[in-house]
Amino acid sequence: MARPEPPVTNGPVTCGSGVPGDRFDPPEDVEVRVPAGPRAVITMRTVAADLAARAEFTLDAVADLRMAVDEACSSLITLARPDTRLTCTFNVHEEHITVTASVLTTGAERLDTDSFGWRVLTTLASDVRMLSATPGQDGDPFRLALRLSVERLGTPLS
Amino acid sequence: MARPEPPVTNGPVTCGSGVPGDRFDPPEDVEVRVPAGPRAVITMRTVAADLAARAEFTLDAVADLRMAVDEACSSLITLARPDTRLTCTFNVHEEHITVTASVLTTGAERLDTDSFGWRVLTTLASDVRMLSATPGQDGDPFRLALRLSVERLGTPLS
Amino acid sequence: MHPDPHDDGVPEPGAAEVAVREAAPGVHVVAVVGDVDAQSLGTVRLGVERALEAGARAVVLDLTGVVLLASAGMTLLLELTDDLRLRGAELLLAGSGRTVRRPLAVTGLDRALALHDDVPAALAAAAPPARHESPQN
Amino acid sequence: MHPDPHDDGVPEPGAAEVAVREAAPGVHVVAVVGDVDAQSLGTVRLGVERALEAGARAVVLDLTGVVLLASAGMTLLLELTDDLRLRGAELLLAGSGRTVRRPLAVTGLDRALALHDDVPAALAAAAPPARHESPQN
Ligand SMILES: Nc1ncnc2c1ncn2[C@@H]1O[C@H](COP(=O)(O)OP(=O)(O)O)[C@@H](O)[C@H]1O
Ligand SMILES: Nc1ncnc2c1ncn2[C@@H]1O[C@H](COP(=O)(O)OP(=O)(O)O)[C@@H](O)[C@H]1O
């Protein structure tokens, strides 16, 4: 067997590379699409929190990520075209999780960066970026995305 | 205000259309894509269980759905082409949740329907179907899908 | 009730459930279970309004059952605090869970709002001899 | 240890953690936390093997911490039961949670396996005077 064998003793012996939470060290990426309505927000923040918990981020980080995803997705869905989807990709890295949330919009919309919601978002997450794509030559509609990261230890309190 | 107002009393008064779990009656559909590896299975069954719990399926149904999704996805990823994704769509209906899981395969693969795993899957879920698509004229590769449903009350014990 | 300017027209049923009870003469507890976010603002407001209509001069908002406190929810807490003060009443918040403490700490709002550990502590702080907010943290 | 024919080569670290302890002379408890599925078969087998190497004639497999029991895991439980019987030992299962009871009930395997409510009950059933499985349900 290739697996190194733990020593045999009469005391407790543990086997296995870890509890379910810590076995997924390498980056993981998950893409989720849901109709761009309020329910979408709950699905997205649940997936985010689950990934963070499984990657053994701190409880503060899990809470911060849930809130950041909630804020980002809640803002985006207000600008989504009817009958389109909210898309989130979650990239789990060693020291942070990056989330990219996007919707199709009816025009060159942007989010209000003077709002309290935006301030909460940028406090909870590091490296928040708004990305927008204008229609391409193939007739793709406008797309507005938010990208944000939350660190493994969560947001330091100021 | 359009909302009907509950009567005022000195006793407990409740407002709101319900706890967080029961506010999503209409069908919901969620699509998730993850690299087709063992971790994918955990993400998929977590999403499934969360949707079922939020739709107030019974605890048995939530457990059955988690297991059925685990069985279906575990089987499919063994046939997936390297560096491709497992895709699941979850459709939440009033009385059941339907899951369609699929992977790209290297050929016209099928799952072994004589296995114990298949028997467990077909016991847990109703209406299990294997669907396969052969390469189209546009060079799409083979795709193998499993569709299954779990009822709101879970699988009756025989 | 006056129309709620914070209902932003999102066509979604309430994300929170609210229960109102009288804990002492003039003191009502409004317990919120679920998410305090843009969708549930109206529900939470309605609960507080019920308490005021029933004669509360102190309202304890029990946030123990809150799953997520979003920015819109935090804004609501500030607004309700101001609203009630203007109307000669008092809003006290109760809840020690991470889902409530964390957003208030991260945004610094814990310095502006009186958050008590639990309902008894909030009720004690609302009692006539000590009718002002006790800044515990 | 003999090579495990049930390791299907999926390149994934173990999905379960297993701890082995001696509860009484010749009686070991193997506690499994996590998923008992295709990925963790080797880990669980290894834990049971440790107990046998250490002289166990009765092994209580504590499934209290099992998150998911997949078909491959149920097959493992059957195989271990047979294995140990052939080797003159005994396997007892302990666990009352839905994550273990439900799959065994749905597949009918609860009629083939002795599942005790908890470790003390399994230990009692393994004690020399009553060294056979007590079919409780
Ligand atoms: N620095 C702050 N501290 C506390 N509350 C704030 C702060 N800034 C804004 N708010 C609250 O947020 C509410 C809305 O602010 P605004 O910037 O318009 O955000 P939004 O557009 O997300 O509602 C205000 O009514 C105020 O009560
Ligand atoms: N009816 C059954 N009851 C209990 N266990 C069974 C049953 N059928 C099969 N098994 C168990 O499942 C194991 C594998 O069976 P198999 O049909 O090859 O499934 P798989 O290919 O999923 O491993 C067998 O070793 C047996 O122990």
Side-chain angles (χ1 to χ4, degrees), chain A residues 38-39 42 45 59-61 63-64 66-67 70-71 74 77-78 116-117 119-120 123-124 153-158, chain C residues 8 10-12 15 35 37-39 67-72 74-75 78 98-99 102-107 109-111:
Chain A
R39 284 174 285 173
I42 301 185
R45 73 187 196 213
L59 292 177
D60 281 348
D64 293 349
R66 281 178 85 236
M67 288 187 283
D70 187 278
E71 297 291 342
S74 299
I77 60 172
T78 64
F116 179 56
R119 192 139 49 80
V120 170
T123 302
L124 289 167
L153 302 178
T155 308
L157 295 185
S158 53
Chain C
D8 57 359
V10 176
E12 185 64 17
D35 299 334
D37 59 10
Q39 280 75 53
V67 174
L68 187 121
L69 177 58
S71 63
M74 292 190 270
T75 298
L78 285 168
R98 185 183 308 270
T99 55
R102 182 77 186 158
L104 296 179
V106 166
T107 56
L109 289 188
D110 53 357
R111 293 190 289 270

Side-chain angles (χ1 to χ4, degrees), chain A residues 30-93:
Chain A
V30 175
E31 182 184 319
V32 182
R33 295 169 195 272
V34 276
R39 284 174 285 173
V41 179
I42 301 185
T43 298
M44 296 305 187
R45 73 187 196 213
T46 303
V47 171
D50 174 59
L51 289 172
R54 276 164 49 200
E56 296 201 329
F57 279 40
T58 63
L59 292 177
D60 281 348
V62 174
D64 293 349
L65 181 64
R66 281 178 85 236
M67 288 187 283
V69 168
D70 187 278
E71 297 291 342
C73 294
S74 299
S75 306
L76 285 173
I77 60 172
T78 64
L79 301 179
R81 290 155 74 108
D83 300 321
T84 60
R85 294 181 153 229
L86 171 68
T87 301
C88 282
T89 60
F90 303 91
N91 300 99
V92 183
H93 301 275

Side-chain angles (χ1 to χ4, degrees), chain B residues 38 45 60 64 71 116 155, chain D residues 10 35 67 71 75 98 102:
Chain B
R45 73 188 195 212
D60 281 348
D64 293 350
E71 296 292 342
F116 179 56
T155 309
Chain D
V10 176
D35 298 334
V67 175
S71 63
T75 298
R98 184 183 309 270
R102 182 77 185 158

Side-chain angles (χ1 to χ4, degrees), chain C residues 109-130:
Chain C
L109 289 188
D110 53 357
R111 293 190 289 270
L113 295 167
L115 181 63
H116 302 273
D117 277 348
D118 52 25
V119 171
L123 288 173

